[in-house]
Amino acid sequence: MASVGGNRSPGAKGGQPQRRRMPRQARQWCQIESCESGRGRPLRDGESWFLVDRSWYKRWEVYVQVEEEDPSIIPGCINNDQLFEDTVNWHLKKGLVEGEDYVLLPTTAWNHLVSWYGLERGQPPIERKVVDFRGSCEVEVYPVELLLAQHSDMDTAHSAQFSQTDSLDRVLRTAQDQFVVSPQEETRLWIKNAEGSFERLCNTRVTLRDTNVESGQVVVMETRSKDGTWPSQQTRVASNGPKEEEELQGQPGICGLTNLGNTCFMNSALQCLSNVPQLTEYFLKNRYLEELNFCNPLGMKGEIAEAYADLVKQAWSGHHRNIVPNVFKTKVGHFASQFLGYQQHDSQELLSFLLDGLHEDLNRVKKKEYVEQCDAAGRPDQEVAVEAWQNHKRRNDSVIVDTFHGLFKSTLVCPDCGNVSVTFDPFCYLSVPLPVSHKRVMEVFFVSMDPRRKPEQHRLVVPKKGKISDLCMALAKHTGVSPERMMVADVFSHRFYKIFQLDESLSTILDRDDIFIYEVSGRSSITENTREDVVIPVYLRERTPARDYNNSYYGLMLFGHPLLVSVPRDRLSWDALYHILLYRLSRYVTRPSSDDEDDGEDKDMEGGKNIPKSGNMAGGSSQDPGPDQAGPSSGVASGSRVPAASSPGPSNWPQRARRKHLFTLQTVNSNGTSDRSNFNEDTQAQPYIAIDWDPEMKKRYYDEVEAEGYVKHDCVGYVLKKAPVRLQECIELFTTMETLEKENPWYCPNCKQHQLATKKLDLWTLPETLIIHLKRFSYTKFSREKLDTLVEFPIRDLDFSEFVIKPQDESAPELYKYDLIAVSNHYGGLRDGHYTTFACNKDSGQWHYFDDNSVSPVTENQIESKAAYVLFYQRQDVARRLRTKPQPGQSDPPAPACDPLPESMDIN
């Protein structure tokens, strides 16, 4: 138990007073009561005062105030027995009152009395601190009494007393002394609340008063286990019991991370960061404990740093084959809601969040000052760069800044006035673009006017920024059909989502769209009424019985692929259109035989009746369903007028007057879901035609297998080969001058307006560990794609001397050369994918492949691939410094923490 009074006062040794010759009574009275160090002086915050029993002190006052010395009234040894409740723990009695039960003496006065009279054998001095309570100093007579216990034995508690101004760090050190725990071991404190639950005491730099700790509460000290875990968390892998984990001794850092459900992106980022040597050493050696910033409003109260430290210590303990990062995942989701749940995310986005979170949690700047960014204004670059870095460090100073931050030079030039703005900005990683091909591969289906030919699938190479006409020209080379006789449509859910004009951009077509290109007659047009033929969109529908009581109503369901059919303007009648469509469907629709002839007139056809006139369509009729049902169809037809006609149809097509019709025709809207027979003819909308099938007739005469059949053109096997690019090309592209986009203009202070200035980024200084993010994912207004270009990156000697514009030290070329230490890989496409990691172990120098909880050794020639996404490079001078830096008590470079694992060992 810590003593009631803390340290013994001078003049008392082993309970025996160190006696000195007493001065005369008047002199004693002056030193104790009257002088500047006596009882009457004011209290000062933080100093110690001592309690003396009031009855003993009164006897002393009588003795020193008599004129003649009387040995019979000497007060004897200081005896505070009347102030204690017991003589075991030496607790003070409750309700003691100053002036009635005790008097207070400053340290100097107390030391005088003890040296003159001594202290009763066995009694501890009652030392108390002066505390500043709301601007007023007072002696804390009753300190906070805590019950200290270990996590391994919470039933055994030891009492200790502390001042409210004592820090939690003193409580921790007292507990370490009490339970004989080395200060080098990592420990933390928990406090038991009135409800019986335990709460972490994270910030040990605050006082007991700040944490509202009260006397009688139980404080538990927890010691980190050898395997890097905390006993309270009991983070165990299901396949490995505690005993097996303790006995396992493998290569530190060779540890997998369990996939919690689409968390491979997180595992990949963590494995890369865990293999940055200087950052991992920072956590393993507990240097982070002194720099945890619990008060940073931009940080995460130290929780992200502590959660990451737990992972690092477990992974590098050598006692785990794999660990479950559920605590870290929960912390990340708590502070970054975008990572809540178990959706797939980007490893670089998590890495960016984690680096920023670690930086703010470990920021050595406790109170950030406002710093205004200054332009160069014609000053030398060296001067502006030094100023910019100093300003950055005034607000941002952490191990993350030390390890990952570098400096850009940004140059903006106004296109109007020529004003040049130069600033220097810090960066944490480089996001470099990949050289993009100007070609694009598109898959389309070509539908010929010849009904005997099946639709053909083609793979066409077109300009990325091309137009629909370029797509038609590319197809014409394969089919021999003139581009003027082609119409391009986006088909979705058995209807036309959009019919394109030739001058529209190809960027509006996504890779996942189903594009059909229809051959039409050279005289056809869907937009001009001067052509001899008109193109009519045609849908296929099937009648389905409605679920009512009398089955009197029939629903209609779209099926199959729609058609664009050229029809002569002078032969537009229902009967003629029927035979034209029957001809176009002849490949998969069987004509009725003579046995199927009908003696009566067809009651389903509006024979000889003209097709209703159409108007100018500009987005569809107001009665059409909204775009949420089938998408926009504007551009399908505009500006066409279909004249009335009563011609029976082409004279060269055989017709039988009494043959049964297989289907009926109906005008519909662009979605094919509404009957237009009741529409006002003045509505300006292009008529669409629906072929309505009775289920029995469809089953009998419509061949669904044949209708869905298509053939592949030889060009489908074509693959656009992408030449590999060097990483240096990507960095050169990153530093190339560019013009700002309209969405991101620059405000010119000279012109006093926003300008599309030219911008150029240059590298001024590079960090110890350089993170290079390859921008494989491309997002535009109309398209999204992943670039699977092979980027050739060196494992060693990546030289940045040609890219750094700061005057270089030619005597130290290693300041500009980097070696690869980790790679985050992404396999798959935009919608799905998988992340893995290659990393070089800092102790053994062996490369390993981390695939969630699976870890396997690899060779250097396996690292480079199209999947490389984020690269981690370490500067060569830093690597050499880490290799040669001796451990405490060592003069030679440190050996690996343990023997490397044999490559044949099963670590999956």
Side-chain angles (χ1 to χ4, degrees), residues 334-609:
H334 175 71
F335 290 104
S337 58
Q338 67 268 30
F339 297 114
L340 276 172
Y342 297 93
Q343 301 298 319
Q344 181 62 278
H345 291 281
D346 190 309
S347 67
Q348 189 272 334
E349 290 178 2
L350 177 81
L351 186 65
S352 176
F353 161 78
L354 183 54
L355 288 173
D356 185 62
L358 290 175
H359 160 63
E360 296 296 355
D361 273 0
L362 300 168
N363 200 342
R364 303 174 188 118
V365 180
K366 307 305 178 186
K367 187 176 181 180
K368 294 190 176 185
E369 56 182 306
Y370 173 75
V371 177
E372 186 174 355
Q373 187 180 30
C374 297
D375 193 86
R379 293 180 294 164
D381 285 350
Q382 185 75 26
E383 177 185 339
V384 182
V386 170
E387 178 186 284
W389 185 251
Q390 289 175 347
N391 288 341
H392 179 59
K393 293 278 284 186
R394 284 162 64 185
R395 291 176 55 86
N396 305 278
D397 186 14
S398 70
V399 65
I400 302 300
V401 175
D402 299 341
T403 307
F404 298 102
H405 283 205
L407 205 61
F408 282 140
K409 177 186 176 184
S410 174
T411 306
L412 288 161
V413 180
C414 178
D416 287 351
C417 67
N419 179 40
V420 179
S421 172
V422 176
T423 57
F424 287 82
D425 306 301
F427 68 89
C428 190
Y429 51 84
L430 299 181
S431 288
V432 299
L434 273 63
V436 179
S437 171
H438 298 291
K439 297 292 184 180
R440 176 184 178 186
V441 177
M442 298 182 66
E443 290 189 358
V444 301
F445 289 91
F446 174 67
V447 181
S448 172
M449 288 183 64
D450 186 350
R452 295 168 298 179
R453 293 178 58 184
K454 292 183 179 181
E456 290 180 345
Q457 184 183 19
H458 291 256
R459 181 170 288 177
L460 308 175
V461 180
V462 294
K464 268 192 176 179
K465 296 183 179 180
K467 299 183 180 299
I468 297 295
S469 56
D470 296 313
L471 185 65
C472 295
M473 291 175 60
L475 181 62
K477 297 177 181 178
H478 294 178
T479 62
V481 177
S482 170
E484 296 180 354
R485 298 180 57 189
M486 295 181 185
M487 297 192 69
V488 182
D490 181 358
V491 175
F492 175 75
S493 190
H494 312 293
R495 54 174 64 88
F496 291 115
Y497 183 83
K498 183 175 182 179
I499 298 179
F500 297 93
Q501 302 298 324
L502 291 178
D503 59 350
E504 290 190 66
S505 174
L506 289 175
S507 62
T508 60
I509 299 179
L510 306 181
D511 290 337
R512 64 174 180 267
D513 293 340
D514 291 325
I515 302 301
F516 283 71
I517 300 182
Y518 296 86
E519 180 187 8
V520 295
S521 68
R523 306 176 304 168
S524 300
S525 173
I526 202 168
T527 60
E528 300 179 16
N529 55 15
T530 59
R531 295 295 184 97
E532 298 180 15
D533 292 355
V534 63
V535 176
I536 297 180
V538 179
Y539 294 148
L540 300 174
R541 303 194 300 183
E542 180 182 2
R543 294 186 179 93
T544 56
R547 296 181 180 179
D548 56 10
Y549 294 105
N550 54 15
N551 287 334
S552 60
Y553 175 80
Y554 286 83
L556 292 164
M557 180 180 297
L558 289 168
F559 71 93
H561 299 301
L563 297 172
L564 290 176
V565 180
S566 300
V567 180
R569 285 183 179 275
D570 57 351
R571 297 174 183 175
L572 274 178
S573 69
W574 289 111
D575 190 55
L577 184 58
Y578 172 84
H579 290 286
I580 291 174
L581 294 177
L582 189 62
Y583 173 72
R584 286 296 301 269
L585 303 176
S586 60
R587 181 172 57 85
Y588 46 90
V589 172
T590 306
R591 289 175 178 267
S593 63
S594 59
D595 297 334
D596 297 326
E597 290 181 0
D598 185 10
D599 293 335
E601 291 293 335
D602 190 342
K603 299 177 183 179
D604 294 330
M605 285 294 296
E606 303 178 37
K609 201 172 180 179

Side-chain angles (χ1 to χ4, degrees), residues 574-773:
W574 289 111
D575 190 55
L577 184 58
Y578 172 84
H579 290 286
I580 291 174
L581 294 177
L582 189 62
Y583 173 72
R584 286 296 301 269
L585 303 176
S586 60
R587 181 172 57 85
Y588 46 90
V589 172
T590 306
R591 289 175 178 267
S593 63
S594 59
D595 297 334
D596 297 326
E597 290 181 0
D598 185 10
D599 293 335
E601 291 293 335
D602 190 342
K603 299 177 183 179
D604 294 330
M605 285 294 296
E606 303 178 37
K609 201 172 180 179
N610 294 333
I611 298 176
K613 291 187 294 181
S614 69
N616 187 356
M617 179 177 180
S621 170
S622 60
Q623 290 97 332
D624 289 353
D628 57 317
Q629 295 188 27
S633 57
S634 60
V636 171
S638 62
S640 62
R641 300 287 297 181
V642 184
S646 56
S647 172
S651 59
N652 58 334
W653 292 347
Q655 301 181 29
R656 295 180 62 91
R658 298 183 179 274
R659 177 158 293 175
K660 182 176 181 178
H661 287 283
L662 304 182
F663 46 78
T664 61
L665 302 179
Q666 185 67 52
T667 56
V668 293
N669 66 6
S670 59
N671 290 309
T673 55
S674 299
D675 191 335
R676 293 176 54 91
S677 61
N678 296 327
F679 285 11
N680 189 331
E681 291 190 5
D682 292 334
T683 57
Q684 302 294 304
Q686 166 72 30
Y688 284 64
I689 302 298
I691 299 175
D692 293 342
W693 287 84
D694 182 81
E696 287 297 325
M697 299 294 285
K698 177 174 177 286
K699 182 178 180 181
R700 188 172 180 179
Y701 296 106
Y702 187 89
D703 188 343
E704 291 193 30
V705 175
E706 182 65 24
E708 295 294 327
Y710 69 94
V711 295
K712 292 184 178 182
H713 191 269
D714 294 339
C715 64
V716 173
Y718 172 79
V719 177
L720 184 62
K721 294 184 178 180
K722 298 180 181 179
V725 299
R726 296 168 58 245
L727 179 60
Q728 289 85 340
E729 295 178 54
C730 301
I731 299 171
E732 185 175 352
L733 193 60
F734 174 80
T735 57
T736 302
M737 183 180 295
E738 60 179 357
T739 302
L740 298 179
E741 298 178 349
K742 293 181 179 180
E743 296 80 10
N744 186 31
W746 170 66
Y747 182 79
C748 177
N750 195 26
C751 297
K752 305 297 182 183
Q753 61 182 352
H754 289 88
Q755 300 283 4
L756 299 182
T758 58
K759 181 178 182 180
K760 189 177 189 307
L761 290 177
D762 290 296
L763 301 176
W764 184 261
T765 56
L766 296 177
E768 293 183 353
T769 300
L770 179 62
I771 302 175
I772 302 178
H773 165 223

Side-chain angles (χ1 to χ4, degrees), residues 858-875:
V858 293
T859 58
E860 291 185 357
N861 57 11
Q862 296 176 263
I863 298 171
E864 187 180 278
S865 72
K866 293 182 178 181
Y869 182 45
V870 183
L871 310 175
F872 284 68
Y873 277 93
Q874 187 176 61
R875 210 167 60 201

